[in-house]
């Protein structure tokens, strides 16, 4: 059994924990039984080793054996402001970028997007994908996925970067870890000139991702890959 | 019509070019007619603007107007030695890494791979995906996709990097562009200790992709993203 399969998310890491519903079903699927050890995480950075004390069809009582802070997070939280994309592309980006350490996804409505908005069901699905990817990559933080807003509604940030063709500036020459970091990536058609200007007003610095044209779903993974390659 | 849709691959960029088969069908689908301009590329780095002189149902004659070397390639060729992966994951990696500038894919049979080998049909499909992705990202080079070999059959390289967890070395502190570069990425279960040792004997330096566990299909995209983020 792979380690991540024995990881379960809980609301709060108290000394004794009662679980019910899908987490218990999942334990039964994995054929876990009384006395077995599992890993718990609370989605905010804390983890624990715990032992199953009692389990029946619907509920399980666990005792926390050891609590520790998971150190797999990036030095500061990263928010990815991500333009809406068609089909399963958003899911692919959320999955890969959760593995790569993103703390929060802020979906964006943009001028050249192929999709104007996102249904509630799709938002719920993206949240579930973020949770699954967080488990699989053994992170203790489950990234938030925030409903789409317009670029005008996006706050001014302390430090932001927007992937933009025909730019010379590079991420790593401008990145420092003294505050949280925002990234913005556009839709298939890219950001419009007006949108890039608006993002610059909000402290997003245009940066290069090389000379070739990247698909909208490749750009954010490449950007986060640049961070990962520094070993953080 | 998007520019990349009017890009056609030819065998050789001679002054006058006769096309037939699927490329002509594609021209007809795009409703191109005599006198229209298209872009041609030969898959080795050369491109041309060309004009359709005569077109019938099955053949087209084009005259090259201007020939130029496409400058979207990385400073030296990159080969990605990529472990076989299940399902559509190989296709996703080939697509994204072609956009990110890989020149050649060397598929690998590895110890912990979920799939032992690759059928001919799948290899042909991967080659087609590399060609399409090359077109879309406006590259003039179509990456080769080479049939799977074992790690023992892999040549010793001048400069190689292998993505490996629990490593401190980073790509960008060791990368120079004085020779062609190889990357190696493992299957879902990772490379075995013996495989990492073998790769090191063949001049592949283990490098980090951050502290989190990445899926096998995320790692190569992240690695190439690190290169792209330097603006090359």
């Amino acid at each position: 059994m792979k380690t991540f399969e024995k990881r379960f998310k809980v609301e709060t890491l108290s000394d004794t924990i009662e679980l019910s519903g899908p987490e218990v079903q999942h334990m039964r699927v994995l054929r876990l039984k009384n006395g077995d050890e599992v890993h718990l995480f609370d989605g905010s950075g804390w983890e624990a080793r715990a032992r199953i004390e009692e389990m029946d069809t619907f509920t399980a009582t666990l005792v926390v054996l050891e609590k520790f802070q998971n150190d797999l997070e990036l030095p500061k939280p990263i928010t990815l402001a991500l333009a809406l994309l068609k089909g399963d592309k958003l899911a692919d980006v959320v999955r890969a970028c959760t593995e790569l350490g993103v703390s929060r996804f802020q979906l964006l409505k943009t001028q050249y997007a192929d999709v104007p908005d996102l249904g509630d069901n799709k938002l719920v699905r993206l949240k579930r994908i973020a949770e699954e990817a967080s488990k699989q990559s053994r992170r203790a933080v489950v990234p938030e996925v925030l409903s789409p807003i317009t670029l005008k509604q996006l706050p001014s940030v302390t430090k932001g970067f927007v992937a933009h063709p025909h730019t010379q500036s590079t991420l790593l020459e401008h990145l420092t870890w003294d505050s949280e970091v925002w990234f913005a990536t556009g839709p298939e058609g890219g950001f419009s000139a007006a949108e890039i200007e608006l993002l610059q007003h909000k402290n997003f610095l245009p940066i290069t991702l090389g000379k070739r044209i990247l698909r909208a779903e490749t750009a954010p993974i490449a950007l986060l890959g640049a961070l990962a390659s520094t070993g953080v």
Side-chain angles (χ1 to χ4, degrees), chain A:
Chain A
M1 190 185 309
K2 289 172 186 165
T3 313
F4 71 80
E5 290 180 343
K6 289 201 288 188
R7 279 169 56 89
F8 298 92
K9 185 163 178 303
V10 297
E11 285 300 309
T12 317
L13 273 179
S14 46
D15 294 343
T16 306
I17 288 165
E18 305 284 335
L19 285 181
S20 58
E23 297 288 6
V24 174
Q25 275 178 359
H26 188 196
M27 286 181 175
R28 297 179 60 83
V29 168
L30 296 177
R31 298 174 187 279
L32 293 172
K33 55 188 187 314
N34 291 350
D36 282 349
E37 276 193 23
V38 297
H39 287 259
L40 305 178
F41 69 108
D42 71 356
S44 81
W46 283 94
E47 299 216 347
R49 281 196 310 122
R51 193 176 53 223
I52 302 173
E53 284 296 296
E54 258 198 278
M55 184 163 63
D56 62 27
T57 314
F58 301 109
T59 63
T61 307
L62 292 92
V63 171
V64 165
L65 304 172
E66 185 192 8
K67 232 167 113 172
F68 49 91
Q69 196 140 26
N70 176 311
D71 70 342
L72 298 185
E73 295 307 306
L74 292 168
K76 299 277 177 181
I78 301 267
T79 305
L80 175 62
L82 174 67
L84 291 178
L85 304 173
K86 265 199 296 196
D88 257 356
K89 293 174 186 175
L90 274 183
D92 292 343
V93 172
V94 166
R95 194 177 290 113
C97 290
T98 296
E99 292 166 43
L100 288 162
V102 163
S103 306
R104 194 163 56 161
F105 296 91
Q106 173 59 68
L107 299 173
L108 290 181
K109 301 176 191 179
T110 60
Q111 194 177 340
Y112 297 151
D114 291 322
V115 274
D117 209 342
L118 193 78
D120 283 346
N121 287 347
K122 287 196 174 166
L123 188 64
V124 168
R125 177 155 181 268
L126 289 179
K127 289 179 184 191
R128 201 177 61 233
I129 284 168
E131 185 170 331
E132 286 167 5
S134 170
K135 267 193 195 179
Q136 286 212 12
S137 55
R138 303 187 201 164
R139 288 180 65 188
V141 170
V142 174
E144 290 179 90
V145 184
L146 304 176
S147 310
I149 58 176
T150 64
L151 277 183
K152 280 199 181 134
Q153 293 170 314
L154 195 69
S156 276
V157 301
T158 306
K159 186 183 292 294
F161 299 96
V162 51
H164 189 52
H166 316 302
T167 307
Q168 301 297 321
S169 298
T170 68
L171 172 63
L172 295 181
E173 67 185 342
H174 290 282
L175 180 74
T176 51
W177 287 110
D178 46 9
S179 63
E180 63 169 324
V181 178
W182 283 68
F183 290 122
T185 60
E188 279 305 331
F191 287 119
S192 71
E195 286 176 329
I196 288 288
E197 206 176 315
L198 185 55
L199 281 164
Q200 285 181 281
H201 279 297
K202 291 173 186 276
N203 286 327
F204 283 82
L205 177 73
I207 50 165
T208 178
L209 278 176
K211 293 182 288 184
R212 291 152 304 280
I213 302 295
L214 303 182
R215 281 173 306 146
E217 63 268 40
T218 307
I221 307 175
L223 203 49
L224 270 299
L227 279 193
S229 78
T230 68
V232 292

